[in-house]
């Protein structure tokens, strides 16, 4: 009888320990040090189509455009300091390679051949700070980048800074939460906000990507890590009135806008539970705008129907030799 009671007690203790482990909250901030370098492969594709209902051309109006780019971004951590319980990171990013195609579409035009650009001989880089609230500030050098480089970097930093937007007390498997974020890209409609719903779905084995000298990417041959898998879905909300949706920069050009915007987004992120680094992330986004751009007095109005879709992928790359030119 005593042995049976002891065995039952042991089982109850094990069950309690398992429940305690499952309920434990974890902090997914990246564990970084000054002078540390990390490399990411970024793939970004976007397609924007604009239809107009007038021959009048308005300043700052959106144009058809497509981007198809992928490249290696090397990030050097310059400084890490604690503000409360959240780290503040100052870093420098530089593209090592970039294969891209970015162009303005004309009627019936086909996609041109991609342009391959090696390491920038001028050593152009972007310095930035990720603050304790997850905002990106003190950005210097981004204007010197090519447009597709800017888009790729913005995709990377949005994925990398995800940990700062998580609940302050940590997260646990199965938990769900909500958050709001203002639209970061300029738009002819003011007051756009992404309403996000996120969930810590599960844990999965994960690998960094490995780059061969031939320029091929495969999963690292090392032992797998355990990643927290986070799913975020978002809906674009408009706080401004459809009858008066003019952003401040349009007002500075004596323009007035009216219209509506909507959009959806889905992001799947794998974050290493050991290092806090984003190992892999993908995003699918679609947006639509129906907007009239006119002079401040209401004359010369032009209606634009804008439809945009994008796909982004960010992969952590293990330190391996770059492909030979």
């Amino acid at each position: 009888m005593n042995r049976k009671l002891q065995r039952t007690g042991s089982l109850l203790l094990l069950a309690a320990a398992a429940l305690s482990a499952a309920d434990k909250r974890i902090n997914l901030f990246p564990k970084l040090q000054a002078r540390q370098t990390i490399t990411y492969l970024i793939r970004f594709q976007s397609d924007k189509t604009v239809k107009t209902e007038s021959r009048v051309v308005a300043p700052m109006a959106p144009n058809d455009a497509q981007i198809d780019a992928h490249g290696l971004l090397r990030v050097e951590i310059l400084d890490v300091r604690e503000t409360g319980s959240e780290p503040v990171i100052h870093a420098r990013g530089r593209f090592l390679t970039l294969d891209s195609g970015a162009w303005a579409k004309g009627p019936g035009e086909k996609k041109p051949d991609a342009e391959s650009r090696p390491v920038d001989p001028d050593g152009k880089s972007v310095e930035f700070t990720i603050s304790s609230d997850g905002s990106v500030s003190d950005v210097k050098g981004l204007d010197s980048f090519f447009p597709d480089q800017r888009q790729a970097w913005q995709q990377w930093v949005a994925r990398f800074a995800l940990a700062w937007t998580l609940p302050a007390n940590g997260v646990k498997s199965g938990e769900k939460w909500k958050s709001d974020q203002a639209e970061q890209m300029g738009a002819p409609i003011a007051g756009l906000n992404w309403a996000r719903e996120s969930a810590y779905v599960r844990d999965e084995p994960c690998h960094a990507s490995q780059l061969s000298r031939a320029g091929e990417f495969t999963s690292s041959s090392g032992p797998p890590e355990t990643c927290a898998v986070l799913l975020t879905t978002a809906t674009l909300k408009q706080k401004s009135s459809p009858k008066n949706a003019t952003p401040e920069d349009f007002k500075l050009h004596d323009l007035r806008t009216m219209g509506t915007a909507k959009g959806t987004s889905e992001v799947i992120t794998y974050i290493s539970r050991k290092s806090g680094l984003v190992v892999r992330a993908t995003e699918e986004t679609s947006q639509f705008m129906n907007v009239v751009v006119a002079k401040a007095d209401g004359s010369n109005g032009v209606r634009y129907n804008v439809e945009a879709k994008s796909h982004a992928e960010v992969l952590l790359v293990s330190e391996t030799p770059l492909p030979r030119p």
Side-chain angles (χ1 to χ4, degrees), residues 75-206:
V75 178
E76 178 186 2
I77 306 302
L78 302 177
D79 183 50
V80 180
R81 63 182 186 275
E82 295 287 334
T83 301
S85 59
E86 291 82 16
V88 175
I89 293 174
H90 184 59
R92 179 190 297 120
R94 181 171 66 92
F95 279 96
L96 303 178
T97 61
L98 183 72
D99 296 328
S100 67
W103 70 98
K105 295 189 303 179
E109 278 191 5
K110 294 182 178 180
K111 174 182 174 180
D113 293 334
E115 175 189 1
S116 180
R117 291 199 290 269
V119 176
D120 191 329
D122 297 329
K124 293 178 182 177
S125 61
V126 55
E127 287 195 24
F128 57 95
T129 297
I130 300 178
S131 302
S132 58
D133 61 356
S135 62
V136 181
S137 59
D138 299 327
V139 180
K140 300 176 183 178
L142 189 61
D143 291 342
S144 67
F145 278 13
F146 296 107
D148 43 358
Q149 286 178 316
R150 291 197 294 269
Q151 290 270 14
W153 178 82
Q154 288 166 345
Q155 287 294 325
W156 170 81
V157 78
R159 306 285 77 77
F160 187 79
L162 174 65
W164 281 263
T165 68
L166 300 179
N169 60 341
V171 292
K172 63 180 180 179
S173 184
E175 184 178 7
K176 298 180 180 180
W177 62 94
K178 295 182 179 182
S179 62
D180 291 312
Q181 184 180 34
E183 169 62 49
Q184 301 297 311
M185 305 300 290
I189 292 179
L192 297 181
N193 186 74
W194 288 98
R196 301 181 183 276
E197 296 185 0
S198 303
Y200 183 166
V201 181
R202 59 183 175 273
D203 290 334
E204 280 190 14
C206 57

